[in-house]
């Protein structure tokens, strides 16, 4: 069984102490940094761009998982790869030529994922699942941290995990939004491999949170 990974979404961190926060995330034992890139167009919020991503990359050994919530991902992909992205996620809802864009990310030796909003069916991914490294199931409407988990996201994780099993594929299933220690085990049981956590991690002691999360994993293995 693939071990579940914990990805820290820095959207909920104190940006005035970004470097300190990143060190704490590393020390606590998070597996990756999840960077939420918002353009004020695809989502009603704006966050960071390639320059800050590059600075983050220079201050951490953790891989950067870059979640592009932008209306024109093909314009941004190369800029974030140059800035140090290890993994790039684009949204199914915004690109007309997903297959082409996914291939262009993979050609750069960068992991390529596709995300679906809460109202998007995972069945729409049928003809891209063979090509991608993973699916990000959004369990809140993208744009903000600290929102409530949308319950039917679990059905989507189960659907994707079943599809993956039946077709002998090995894409990763991520879940992002409203995840906490109370619901994480259900998500792992449903088949999620990478759990993204923002506010629940930052409003708690990070060491305690990660320790409890890791014990959840041991419990299910
Ligand atoms: C929302 C972002 C998430 C968010 C998760 O648009 O994609 O990564 O930061 O934050 P929480 O865990 O607080 O829902
Ligand atoms: Zn995200």
């Amino acid at each position: 069984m693939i071990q579940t990974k914990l990805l820290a979404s820095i959207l909920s961190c104190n940006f005035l102490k970004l470097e300190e926060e990143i060190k704490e995330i590393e020390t606590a034992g998070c597996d990756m940094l999840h960077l939420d890139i918002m353009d004020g167009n695809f989502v009603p919020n704006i966050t960071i761009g390639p320059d800050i991503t590059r600075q983050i990359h220079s201050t951490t050994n953790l891989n950067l998982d870059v979640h592009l919530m932008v209306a024109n991902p093909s314009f941004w992909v190369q800029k974030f790869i140059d800035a140090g992205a290890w993994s790039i996620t684009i949204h199914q809802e915004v690109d007309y030529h997903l297959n082409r864009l996914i291939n262009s990310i993979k050609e750069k030796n960068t992991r390529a994922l596709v995300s679906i909003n809460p109202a998007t069916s995972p069945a729409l991914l049928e003809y891209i699942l063979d090509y991608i490294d993973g699916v990000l199931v959004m369990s809140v409407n993208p744009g903000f941290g600290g929102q409530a988990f949308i319950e039917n996201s679990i059905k989507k994780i189960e659907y994707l995990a079943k599809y993956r099993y039946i077709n002998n594929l090995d894409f990763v299933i991520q879940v992002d939004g409203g995840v906490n220690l109370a619901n994480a085990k259900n998500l792992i049981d449903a088949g999620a491999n990478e759990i993204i956590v923002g506010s629940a991690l930052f409003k708690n002691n990070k060491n305690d949170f990660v320790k409890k999360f890791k014990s959840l994993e041991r419990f299910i293995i």
Side-chain angles (χ1 to χ4, degrees):
M1 173 178 230
I2 309 162
Q3 194 174 12
T4 314
K5 293 194 163 73
L6 175 62
L7 280 63
S9 163
I10 61 163
L11 189 60
S12 300
C13 81
N14 179 351
F15 275 91
L16 297 179
K17 295 183 176 170
L18 184 55
E19 190 168 18
E20 218 174 285
E21 295 264 44
I22 289 172
K23 291 296 161 217
E24 284 177 21
I25 288 166
E26 276 187 25
T27 309
C30 290
D31 298 295
M32 260 184 255
L33 285 185
H34 178 84
L35 305 190
D36 288 305
I37 312 300
M38 306 185 187
D39 66 349
N41 193 352
F42 176 57
V43 289
N45 201 356
I46 295 176
T47 54
I48 62 170
D51 292 340
I52 294 177
T53 300
R54 188 174 292 105
Q55 291 181 42
I56 293 171
H57 180 56
S58 71
T59 193
T60 182
N61 292 319
L62 292 176
N63 285 335
L64 303 185
D65 178 60
V66 172
H67 177 193
L68 291 181
M69 284 162 278
V70 300
N72 185 8
S74 59
F75 176 79
W76 292 106
V77 156
Q78 186 60 49
K79 295 177 186 5
F80 281 96
I81 292 175
D82 292 343
W86 179 80
S87 178
I88 299 254
T89 301
I90 54 179
H91 268 261
Q92 187 275 341
E93 297 84 5
V94 290
D95 198 80
Y96 294 127
H97 305 291
L98 264 188
N99 184 287
R100 177 188 292 152
L101 187 53
I102 287 295
N103 290 336
S104 76
I105 296 170
K106 293 180 64 152
E107 277 164 17
K108 305 283 162 41
N109 295 319
T110 305
R111 193 172 78 151
L113 280 73
V114 173
S115 181
I116 48 172
N117 277 338
T120 303
S121 167
L124 290 174
L125 301 179
E126 183 179 355
Y127 291 97
I128 196 75
L129 286 173
D130 279 350
Y131 297 90
I132 59 183
D133 297 307
V135 178
L136 165 53
V137 175
M138 282 307 301
S139 41
V140 297
N141 288 295
F144 304 93
Q147 303 179 78
F149 182 85
I150 296 172
E151 284 298 328
N152 65 11
S153 313
I154 295 183
K155 282 192 205 149
K156 296 189 189 180
I157 298 169
E158 286 168 349
Y159 170 94
L160 289 162
K162 189 172 171 192
Y163 187 96
R164 178 173 62 182
Y165 178 74
I166 290 170
N167 294 285
N168 203 20
L169 295 171
D170 62 356
F171 60 83
V172 158
I173 301 173
Q174 291 187 335
V175 55
D176 183 14
V179 180
N180 51 45
L181 285 170
N183 60 16
K185 186 181 178 302
N186 283 343
L187 307 177
I188 297 168
D189 287 349
N193 315 103
E194 296 187 2
I195 310 265
I196 297 155
V197 183
S199 51
L201 174 66
F202 284 93
K203 72 180 181 214
N204 285 300
N205 175 291
K206 296 183 187 68
N207 292 321
D208 286 353
F209 185 94
V210 175
K211 205 181 286 173
K212 284 180 186 154
F213 182 88
K214 300 279 174 187
S215 72
L216 272 185
E217 291 176 76
R218 273 200 300 277
F219 184 65
I220 64 107
I221 287 171

